[in-house]
Structures are given as C-alpha cells and as structure tokens.
Amino acid sequence: MYGPHYPLHSSNYMNIRVIPKLMSERTNMFRFYSCKFRSEKFKENCARLSLWRNFNIQISLTIESSFHGFLDENRNTQLFNEVNLQLFGQKF
C-alpha cells in the first residue's frame, strides 16, 4: 500500500497509517511493513498523489496486490487461491 509522506510531528502522520495497520492486524495476507509512505519521483503523476496535491485529500492510499501469493508467518509463500481470497474478504 502506498500513501503520502507526512512529517513525524504532523497530525496526519498517524492518520495515514491507521487503515494499513488495522488491515495487517486482521490478516497475515497484508503486511504493514511493506507499505510505503512517501512521494516518490516516478509516481508524481499517479492519481493518488494528484488528488493529495491538487485537492488536499489528506488520506489517499493506493493498494497493490501480487498475482502470485503472500508470505505467511513462517515466511513461506502461500499461493493465492479462491479459499484464501474468500478468507481475506471475510476479515473486512
């Protein structure tokens, strides 16, 4: 998941991290520590940053997914299948 960068003492620093943190606590298919909260140069023209910059939308996130799978708690690759995706959907 990608989100905009806010300085450490900004009130939005924690606000932007709430949704990813809650997602990571509900399922091991999502890892909070893989999230990036910064505005990278090559992503400047993406919709998320455009909305953040031009319309002052404070909480603007982009989620990306692998087609392959995820790492479980033992760091083993678990392939996505219908059952895993249904379990993920039931968590939310």
Side-chain angles (χ1 to χ4, degrees):
M1 185 172 284
Y2 293 91
H5 169 76
Y6 289 105
L8 180 61
H9 299 292
S10 168
S11 62
N12 287 322
Y13 179 85
M14 293 301 291
N15 293 341
I16 198 70
R17 288 164 169 76
V18 169
I19 293 172
K21 184 65 175 170
L22 291 174
M23 287 179 70
S24 70
E25 289 177 358
R26 294 191 69 139
T27 180
N28 65 351
M29 291 186 221
F30 183 86
R31 295 187 335 194
F32 177 77
Y33 296 106
S34 294
C35 297
K36 296 181 182 179
F37 301 99
R38 59 180 166 252
S39 303
E40 297 170 324
K41 185 74 172 164
F42 70 95
K43 296 259 186 185
E44 279 187 359
N45 294 325
C46 73
R48 173 183 55 84
L49 288 177
S50 180
L51 291 171
W52 176 62
R53 186 173 45 246
N54 296 323
F55 298 102
N56 199 26
I57 295 176
Q58 300 297 308
I59 305 210
S60 177
L61 300 165
T62 301
I63 190 166
E64 293 183 359
S65 176
S66 166
F67 284 112
H68 182 67
F70 62 97
L71 296 177
D72 65 11
E73 55 274 350
N74 298 321
R75 308 234 358 116
N76 296 318
T77 300
Q78 298 296 319
L79 299 178
F80 283 131
N81 57 35
E82 187 176 345
V83 173
N84 285 340
L85 295 174
Q86 287 177 347
L87 289 173
F88 184 82
Q90 289 173 359
K91 301 282 185 181
F92 303 98

